[in-house]
């Protein structure tokens, strides 16, 4: 060959190889899409560049649950396959996401709260260590909705998580040794902890559970390095307990007043008033504020607690350093139906006038999708995202939810066809927000119920409810829906009806593929723009856990989820309840009597990727 | 001897019952509604007695009157016969008298009813009474919900103020009846009923459950204490206060027992961990007139007897006999007596 | 004796015999204080090493097991003492189902009473000192009706409020099994 031809051949082959390489495998890149006009976008202050890890359950402080990895697309998603699996050795309902930090995957299980570390750099991801906190077995008796755990958080070389019996534990991420352990909740009073802590600005934020047990709800901030209590904000009681001070400026007059945490209750009722913080916390580093919602007031029987029952069933914005309240909005005053407000607050920036407005996007339990200004707590819009007959809407001038009087529960009388049912239009399982499409992907319910209330007896450490409930499918007969909601147009872009309630969180990716799981074990990938089903996989157990997407050590995009049905919706399977009693599991058993034929209990990690 | 002992016993019981149990009378004229009832009652009595007397007179006259000759031979011949003009006039007059009387009674009834209804229209005080076997769970409602107050088996009312009582039942049908104020009104499970009245006399009155509701229906009474307005407000405010912490060592032992053992599963004492709602609120037990819904007058000895063995005083009631050690019994009663 | 006299004699005898069978309606409102020191440690069905007979039934069982007033009061206590909050109306929730035939800690009335009094490891609270022994046995008697164990002339025939499981007279009898497939 001549020199020229040799040169041409080598250049050509290099070019050919390069093009072949790029055609076969587009390696994962980071692309955070720019905001298009008329579309919601990531909150600039709360979303940092995606490093391919998954370090906290919400993915970032804005709780978008959006991965910027884009290797998996609608074109190739149907080729996803299992890469490895791992049995967590628990069968109680798996709600937590796996965490992935620089080549190690961390799994926190439901009771007994094992923390596993898997080495992703080795084939088959063998476990490096397991940390066993050994929580008190009796705490299972005071956990209303399964002894679940909603996740751990990684920060500064430590994995921090909560145990069912009320401890927050910080473990060294490399060695698995305990660094500190702090008692936050008291099991004897009926308190447990199921939520995932948020680590922000050097504080570990931990909320208690037990709104059905007559506990007093609170949010505690621990020092990240030492575990010592930095501040604690109660949800009920006098202003000094709720950390309400001069900075407190609620937007609406109904939330203004002195000591409303006492005055909006009959005497002493606030001491057993619930308002626990068992759900999600978001953080805006720019404003220095954390946002979280409080649970239902206790007991469920509203007759025992006339008044607005502040500060339950509402959203707080607090200063992360001191805990002082900056604003509060009560989504559901004097809650009648267990419409907790603990759902996620997704931070986003939306076009408004000539600029952008920092907002919270909240698919609420009471059935409304709220868009709220996160600086002040003003409700910009509240639109039903499903069928509601318990309320007539929100009066945007006063901010108040308007109840339908005929649905109000009265002692001794059965009220029928209450929609949405007590798990709400959507329960704890969080939605995902894709800045690429501007849509919020909401996995939720379509359930109605019959309810009768009676007087609840308070005995600490036992349930404080006072209601019998029986749930069933809502209009249409499908018990679940997966909705892609446009917060700007205030309507659904598309929706997928599911037979069973959709109790798994959602995952959105930059490749425009959205993932979620069903209660009978189907893990699904759908097109983010159209909702078309791209791929599905039948896991060994129903899926109620958060799916994640991470960049593996080899640079490829992986999808991981743990399948293990349970929680409130799956209690009939995880708790082996009897389907002949429709009021079992606070009425949920009646709605999912067929679940025992469709899935079994489990706790298995599945990791998927494209073939490579 | 036996009869003498029996008589002495009943006499003592009756004297002992003097304090409040005698004031369960329809004729107390202690309320607006009761006054209307009494007026109507006496009108009815007057009219009916008058008619009754007339009827008796005519009956006696009819029996005693001699037969006149010729009357026995009146035979029905099929032809109209002229009646005696006096008889015809008398019959028309009697019919007129009866109609007037009935119309008069109807009018009196109507006005009494309307007066009672109008008096009830402007109630200033709202109370919710929930009937439970076999006691009365009473809640005073207020526009400011942090001032609502829960008590048991005893109503305090301000004199001259119309009150509306919302009635509910937790289990079976009961009936709310304070004869000195107003008539009976049932408490029906699953429904809300109400009764309104205005007390006009200061004093202590007794009410009683008036619908058979189970084995201890007879022991389901309550006390109504009508006071001047200022005293009533002071009472309400005192009832809102939490129980004072115990001051003597014996009361402290009693406090520990009451708040951590069987008592707390059913009873609430505000300001302590005891939060049970099955039984009456005990926060101000010692300030009440009676124990166990009017079964026993309040007093140290009666408290001892009730706490030691409620089943022998009110057998079948929901309060179980807790087998207290003697020292525990002393401590518990010492603590309960501090709950004024 | 005249035939009429004989008939009324026989009738009286039959009635007298029938009355003695009315144990199911006997109220023990003034039951003898049972005392906290009486042993309620009826253990669940276990292996008896070296052979021998299992623990005999506690003599108090006869007072409660097929006794109507005890079952009715037990039902009220089951609701008021928040048993419904964990066990619902037999179907379970936070706590296991009580209407099936699996009794991890034993399904005899004395074993159920022991469970209530002592609590159990995975979250059943201990009620000794919070309820009297009499109340505990009444609740145990009611719990047995959830799986249809007492005879059908003793139990209630009406379900109250929201329609839950079938009324007690229609609940099928399910022989207790000391098995534990509902693992926690």
């Amino acid at each position: 060959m001549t020199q020229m031809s040799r040169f041409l051949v080598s250049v050509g082959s290099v070019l050919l190889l390069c093009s072949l390489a790029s055609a076969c495998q587009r390696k994962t890149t980071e692309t955070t899409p720019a905001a298009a006009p008329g579309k919601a976008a990531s909150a600039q202050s709360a979303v940092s560049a995606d490093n391919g890890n998954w370090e906290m359950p919400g993915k970032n402080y804005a709780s978008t649950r959006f991965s910027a990895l884009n290797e998996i697309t609608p074109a190739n998603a149907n080729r996803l396959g299992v890469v490895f699996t791992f049995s967590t050795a628990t069968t109680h309902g798996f709600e937590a996401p796996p965490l992935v930090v620089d080549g190690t995957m961390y799994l926190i299980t439901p009771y007994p709260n094992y923390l596993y570390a898997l080495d992703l750099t080795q084939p088959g991801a063998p476990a490096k260590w397991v940390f066993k906190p050994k929580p008190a077995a009796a705490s299972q008796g005071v956990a209303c909705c399964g002894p679940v755990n909603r996740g751990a958080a990684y920060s500064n070389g430590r994995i921090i998580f909560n145990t069912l019996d009320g401890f927050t534990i910080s473990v060294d991420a490399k060695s698995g040794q305990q660094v500190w352990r702090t008692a936050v909740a008291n099991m004897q009073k009926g308190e447990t902890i199921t939520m995932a802590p948020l680590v922000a600005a050097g504080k570990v934020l931990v909320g208690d559970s037990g709104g059905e047990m007559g506990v007093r709800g609170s949010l505690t901030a621990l020092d990240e390095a030492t575990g010592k209590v930095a501040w604690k904000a109660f949800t009920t009681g006098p202003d000094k307990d709720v950390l309400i001070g001069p900075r407190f400026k609620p937007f609406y007059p109904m939330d203004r007043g002195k000591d409303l945490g006492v005055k909006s209750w009959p005497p002493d009722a606030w001491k057993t008033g619930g308002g626990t913080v068992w759900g999600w916390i978001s953080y805006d580093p720019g404003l220095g504020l954390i946002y979280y919602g409080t649970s239902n007031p206790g007991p469920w029987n509203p007759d025992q607690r006339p008044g607005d029952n502040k500060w339950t069933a509402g959203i707080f914005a607090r200063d992360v350093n001191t805990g002082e309240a900056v604003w509060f909005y009560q989504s559901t005053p004097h809650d009648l139906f267990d419409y907790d407000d603990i759902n996620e607050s997704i931070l986003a920036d939306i076009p408004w006038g000539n600029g952008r407005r920092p907002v919270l996007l909240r698919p609420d339990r009471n059935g409304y999708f709220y868009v709220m200004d996160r600086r002040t707590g003003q409700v910009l819009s509240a639109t039903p995202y499903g069928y509601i007959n318990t309320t007539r809407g929100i009066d945007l001038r006063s901010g108040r939810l308007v109840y339908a009087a005929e649905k109000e529960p009265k002692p001794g009388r059965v009220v029928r066809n209450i929609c949405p049912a007590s798990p709400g239009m959507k329960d704890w399982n969080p939605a995902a927000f894709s800045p690429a499409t501007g849509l919020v992907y909401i996995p939720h319910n379509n359930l109605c119920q019959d309810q009768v209330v009676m007087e609840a007896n308070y005995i600490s450490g036992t349930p404080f409810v006072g209601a019998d409930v029986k749930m069933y499918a809502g209009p249409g007969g499908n018990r679940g829906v997966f909705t892609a909601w446009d917060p700007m147009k205030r309507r659904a872009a598309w929706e997928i009806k599911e037979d069973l309630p959709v109790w798994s969180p959602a995952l959105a990716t930059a490749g425009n593929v959205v993932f979620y799981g069903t209660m009978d074990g189907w893990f699904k990938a759908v097109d983010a723009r159209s909702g078309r089903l791209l791929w599905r996989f039948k896991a060994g157990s129903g899926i109620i856990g958060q799916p994640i997407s991470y960049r593996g050590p080899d640079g490829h995009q992986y999808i991981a989820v743990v399948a293990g049905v349970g929680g409130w919706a799956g209690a009939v399977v995880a708790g082996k309840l009897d389907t002949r009693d429709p009021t079992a599991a606070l009425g949920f058993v009646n709605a999912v009597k067929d679940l025992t034929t469709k899935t079994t209990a489990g706790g298995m990690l599945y990791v998927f990727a494209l073939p490579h | 001897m036996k009869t003498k002992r029996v008589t002495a016993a009943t006499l003592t019981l009756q004297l002992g019952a003097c304090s409040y149990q005698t004031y369960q009378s329809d004729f107390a004229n202690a309320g607006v509604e009761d006054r209307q009832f009494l007026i109507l009652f006496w009108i009815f009595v007057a009219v009916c007695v008058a008619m009754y007397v007339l009827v008796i007179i005519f009956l006696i006259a009819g029996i005693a009157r001699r037969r006149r000759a010729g009357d026995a031979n009146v035979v029905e011949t099929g032809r109209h016969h002229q009646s005696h003009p006096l008889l015809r006039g008398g019959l028309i007059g009697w019919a007129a008298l009866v109609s007037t009387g009935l119309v008069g009674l109807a009018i009196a009834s109507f006005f009494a009813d309307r007066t009672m209804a109008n008096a009830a229209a402007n109630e200033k005080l709202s109370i919710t009474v929930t009937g439970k076997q076999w006691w009365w769970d009473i809640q005073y409602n207020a526009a400011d919900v942090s001032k609502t107050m829960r008590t048991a088996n005893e109503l305090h009312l301000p004199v001259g103020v119309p009150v509306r009582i919302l009635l509910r039942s937790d289990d079976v049908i009961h009936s709310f009846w304070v004869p000195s104020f107003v008539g009976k009104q049932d408490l029906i499970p699953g429904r809300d009923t109400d009764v309104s009245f205005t007390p006009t006399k200061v004093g202590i009155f007794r009410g009683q459950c008036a619908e058979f509701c189970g084995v201890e229906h007879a022991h389901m009474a309550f006390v109504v204490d009508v006071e001047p307005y200022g005293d009533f407000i002071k009472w309400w405010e005192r009832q809102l206060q939490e129980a004072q912490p115990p001051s003597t060592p014996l009361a402290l032992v009693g406090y520990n027992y009451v708040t951590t053992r069987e008592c707390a599963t059913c009873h609430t004492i505000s300001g302590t961990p005891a939060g049970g709602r099955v039984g009456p609120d005990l926060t101000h037990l010692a300030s009440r007139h009676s124990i166990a819904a009017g079964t026993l007058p309040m007093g140290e000895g009666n408290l001892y007897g009730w706490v030691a063995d409620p089943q022998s005083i009110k057998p079948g009631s929901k309060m179980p006999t807790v087998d207290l050690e003697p020292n525990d019994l002393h401590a518990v009663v010492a603590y309960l007596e501090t709950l004024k | 004796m005249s035939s009429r006299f004989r008939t009324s004699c026989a009738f009286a005898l039959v009635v007298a015999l029938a009355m003695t069978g009315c144990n199911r309606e006997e109220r023990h409102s003034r039951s003898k204080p049972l005392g906290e020191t009486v042993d309620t440690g009826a253990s669940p069905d276990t292996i008896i090493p070296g052979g021998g007979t299992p623990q005999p039934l506690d003599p108090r069982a006869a007072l409660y097991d097929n006794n109507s007033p005890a079952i009715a009061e037990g039902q009220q206590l089951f609701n008021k003492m928040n048993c419904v909050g964990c066990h619902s109306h037999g179907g379970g929730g936070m706590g296991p189902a009580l209407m099936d035939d699996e009794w991890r800690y034993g399904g005899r009335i004395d074993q159920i009473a022991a469970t209530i009094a002592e609590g159990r490891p995975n979250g059943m609270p201990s009620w000794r000192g919070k309820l009297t022994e009499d109340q505990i046995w009444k609740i145990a008697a009611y719990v047995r009706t959830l799986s249809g164990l007492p005879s059908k002339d003793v139990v209630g025939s009406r379900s109250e409020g929201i329609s839950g499981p079938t009324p007690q007279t229609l609940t099928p009898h399910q022989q207790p099994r000391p098995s534990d497939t509902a693992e926690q």
Side-chain angles (χ1 to χ4, degrees), chain A residues 549-562:
Chain A
S549 177
Y550 66 94
R551 191 189 314 124
D554 58 1
H556 289 288
Q557 182 182 12
Y558 289 85
I559 307 286
V561 69
V562 181

PDB file of all heavy atoms in Angstrom, chain A residues 549-562:
ATOM      1  N   SER A 549     -31.937   6.004  39.338  1.00  0.00           N
ATOM      2  CA  SER A 549     -31.083   5.827  38.175  1.00  0.00           C
ATOM      3  C   SER A 549     -29.703   6.344  38.563  1.00  0.00           C
ATOM      4  O   SER A 549     -29.577   7.434  39.137  1.00  0.00           O
ATOM      5  CB  SER A 549     -31.635   6.621  36.994  1.00  0.00           C
ATOM      6  OG  SER A 549     -30.758   6.498  35.904  1.00  0.00           O
ATOM      7  N   TYR A 550     -28.677   5.581  38.261  1.00  0.00           N
ATOM      8  CA  TYR A 550     -27.345   6.032  38.631  1.00  0.00           C
ATOM      9  C   TYR A 550     -26.363   5.674  37.530  1.00  0.00           C
ATOM     10  O   TYR A 550     -26.642   4.833  36.666  1.00  0.00           O
ATOM     11  CB  TYR A 550     -26.909   5.416  39.968  1.00  0.00           C
ATOM     12  CG  TYR A 550     -26.705   3.919  39.949  1.00  0.00           C
ATOM     13  CD1 TYR A 550     -25.454   3.350  39.718  1.00  0.00           C
ATOM     14  CD2 TYR A 550     -27.775   3.058  40.178  1.00  0.00           C
ATOM     15  CE1 TYR A 550     -25.271   1.978  39.703  1.00  0.00           C
ATOM     16  CE2 TYR A 550     -27.609   1.693  40.167  1.00  0.00           C
ATOM     17  CZ  TYR A 550     -26.359   1.149  39.937  1.00  0.00           C
ATOM     18  OH  TYR A 550     -26.190  -0.211  39.934  1.00  0.00           O
ATOM     19  N   ARG A 551     -25.202   6.316  37.591  1.00  0.00           N
ATOM     20  CA  ARG A 551     -24.138   5.967  36.663  1.00  0.00           C
ATOM     21  C   ARG A 551     -23.225   4.976  37.350  1.00  0.00           C
ATOM     22  O   ARG A 551     -22.641   5.263  38.397  1.00  0.00           O
ATOM     23  CB  ARG A 551     -23.342   7.205  36.259  1.00  0.00           C
ATOM     24  CG  ARG A 551     -22.405   6.873  35.093  1.00  0.00           C
ATOM     25  CD  ARG A 551     -21.408   7.943  34.746  1.00  0.00           C
ATOM     26  NE  ARG A 551     -21.992   9.252  34.672  1.00  0.00           N
ATOM     27  CZ  ARG A 551     -21.555  10.290  35.393  1.00  0.00           C
ATOM     28  NH1 ARG A 551     -20.555  10.160  36.209  1.00  0.00           N
ATOM     29  NH2 ARG A 551     -22.148  11.453  35.268  1.00  0.00           N
ATOM     30  N   GLY A 552     -23.120   3.797  36.764  1.00  0.00           N
ATOM     31  CA  GLY A 552     -22.286   2.762  37.365  1.00  0.00           C
ATOM     32  C   GLY A 552     -20.801   3.053  37.179  1.00  0.00           C
ATOM     33  O   GLY A 552     -20.421   3.968  36.447  1.00  0.00           O
ATOM     34  N   PRO A 553     -19.939   2.282  37.829  1.00  0.00           N
ATOM     35  CA  PRO A 553     -18.491   2.463  37.664  1.00  0.00           C
ATOM     36  C   PRO A 553     -18.038   2.334  36.210  1.00  0.00           C
ATOM     37  O   PRO A 553     -17.019   2.896  35.837  1.00  0.00           O
ATOM     38  CB  PRO A 553     -17.885   1.346  38.530  1.00  0.00           C
ATOM     39  CG  PRO A 553     -18.954   0.983  39.482  1.00  0.00           C
ATOM     40  CD  PRO A 553     -20.256   1.235  38.806  1.00  0.00           C
ATOM     41  N   ASP A 554     -18.805   1.594  35.397  1.00  0.00           N
ATOM     42  CA  ASP A 554     -18.407   1.464  33.988  1.00  0.00           C
ATOM     43  C   ASP A 554     -18.972   2.599  33.143  1.00  0.00           C
ATOM     44  O   ASP A 554     -18.825   2.572  31.916  1.00  0.00           O
ATOM     45  CB  ASP A 554     -18.883   0.113  33.428  1.00  0.00           C
ATOM     46  CG  ASP A 554     -20.402  -0.044  33.563  1.00  0.00           C
ATOM     47  OD1 ASP A 554     -21.067   0.896  34.062  1.00  0.00           O
ATOM     48  OD2 ASP A 554     -20.932  -1.100  33.182  1.00  0.00           O
ATOM     49  N   GLY A 555     -19.625   3.544  33.739  1.00  0.00           N
ATOM     50  CA  GLY A 555     -20.099   4.709  33.008  1.00  0.00           C
ATOM     51  C   GLY A 555     -21.491   4.559  32.417  1.00  0.00           C
ATOM     52  O   GLY A 555     -22.015   5.504  31.839  1.00  0.00           O
ATOM     53  N   HIS A 556     -22.082   3.381  32.536  1.00  0.00           N
ATOM     54  CA  HIS A 556     -23.400   3.204  31.948  1.00  0.00           C
ATOM     55  C   HIS A 556     -24.505   3.587  32.916  1.00  0.00           C
ATOM     56  O   HIS A 556     -24.284   3.657  34.126  1.00  0.00           O
ATOM     57  CB  HIS A 556     -23.583   1.746  31.505  1.00  0.00           C
ATOM     58  CG  HIS A 556     -22.759   1.397  30.312  1.00  0.00           C
ATOM     59  ND1 HIS A 556     -23.038   1.854  29.052  1.00  0.00           N
ATOM     60  CD2 HIS A 556     -21.634   0.639  30.202  1.00  0.00           C
ATOM     61  CE1 HIS A 556     -22.132   1.396  28.211  1.00  0.00           C
ATOM     62  NE2 HIS A 556     -21.260   0.652  28.881  1.00  0.00           N
ATOM     63  N   GLN A 557     -25.719   3.780  32.345  1.00  0.00           N
ATOM     64  CA  GLN A 557     -26.866   4.156  33.183  1.00  0.00           C
ATOM     65  C   GLN A 557     -27.535   2.898  33.713  1.00  0.00           C
ATOM     66  O   GLN A 557     -27.820   1.971  32.957  1.00  0.00           O
ATOM     67  CB  GLN A 557     -27.861   4.981  32.372  1.00  0.00           C
ATOM     68  CG  GLN A 557     -29.056   5.447  33.194  1.00  0.00           C
ATOM     69  CD  GLN A 557     -30.074   6.242  32.370  1.00  0.00           C
ATOM     70  OE1 GLN A 557     -30.016   6.265  31.148  1.00  0.00           O
ATOM     71  NE2 GLN A 557     -31.002   6.874  33.068  1.00  0.00           N
ATOM     72  N   TYR A 558     -27.764   2.871  34.986  1.00  0.00           N
ATOM     73  CA  TYR A 558     -28.450   1.746  35.624  1.00  0.00           C
ATOM     74  C   TYR A 558     -29.733   2.237  36.268  1.00  0.00           C
ATOM     75  O   TYR A 558     -29.815   3.385  36.717  1.00  0.00           O
ATOM     76  CB  TYR A 558     -27.556   1.123  36.707  1.00  0.00           C
ATOM     77  CG  TYR A 558     -26.389   0.373  36.147  1.00  0.00           C
ATOM     78  CD1 TYR A 558     -25.225   1.038  35.812  1.00  0.00           C
ATOM     79  CD2 TYR A 558     -26.461  -1.006  35.933  1.00  0.00           C
ATOM     80  CE1 TYR A 558     -24.141   0.360  35.288  1.00  0.00           C
ATOM     81  CE2 TYR A 558     -25.384  -1.691  35.406  1.00  0.00           C
ATOM     82  CZ  TYR A 558     -24.230  -1.010  35.083  1.00  0.00           C
ATOM     83  OH  TYR A 558     -23.174  -1.687  34.564  1.00  0.00           O
ATOM     84  N   ILE A 559     -30.704   1.336  36.321  1.00  0.00           N
ATOM     85  CA  ILE A 559     -31.967   1.614  37.027  1.00  0.00           C
ATOM     86  C   ILE A 559     -32.073   0.570  38.136  1.00  0.00           C
ATOM     87  O   ILE A 559     -31.873  -0.618  37.875  1.00  0.00           O
ATOM     88  CB  ILE A 559     -33.190   1.463  36.104  1.00  0.00           C
ATOM     89  CG1 ILE A 559     -33.026   2.297  34.848  1.00  0.00           C
ATOM     90  CG2 ILE A 559     -34.467   1.795  36.836  1.00  0.00           C
ATOM     91  CD1 ILE A 559     -33.210   3.789  35.062  1.00  0.00           C
ATOM     92  N   ALA A 560     -32.347   1.020  39.351  1.00  0.00           N
ATOM     93  CA  ALA A 560     -32.447   0.082  40.463  1.00  0.00           C
ATOM     94  C   ALA A 560     -33.744   0.316  41.218  1.00  0.00           C
ATOM     95  O   ALA A 560     -34.184   1.450  41.392  1.00  0.00           O
ATOM     96  CB  ALA A 560     -31.269   0.264  41.422  1.00  0.00           C
ATOM     97  N   VAL A 561     -34.350  -0.773  41.661  1.00  0.00           N
ATOM     98  CA  VAL A 561     -35.551  -0.668  42.499  1.00  0.00           C
ATOM     99  C   VAL A 561     -35.619  -1.923  43.359  1.00  0.00           C
ATOM    100  O   VAL A 561     -35.148  -2.983  42.954  1.00  0.00           O
ATOM    101  CB  VAL A 561     -36.819  -0.538  41.612  1.00  0.00           C
ATOM    102  CG1 VAL A 561     -37.110  -1.826  40.858  1.00  0.00           C
ATOM    103  CG2 VAL A 561     -38.019  -0.123  42.428  1.00  0.00           C
ATOM    104  N   VAL A 562     -36.156  -1.783  44.561  1.00  0.00           N
ATOM    105  CA  VAL A 562     -36.365  -2.948  45.421  1.00  0.00           C
ATOM    106  C   VAL A 562     -37.850  -3.281  45.400  1.00  0.00           C
ATOM    107  O   VAL A 562     -38.692  -2.402  45.620  1.00  0.00           O
ATOM    108  CB  VAL A 562     -35.912  -2.679  46.865  1.00  0.00           C
ATOM    109  CG1 VAL A 562     -36.118  -3.930  47.726  1.00  0.00           C
ATOM    110  CG2 VAL A 562     -34.466  -2.249  46.889  1.00  0.00           C
TER     111      VAL A 562
END
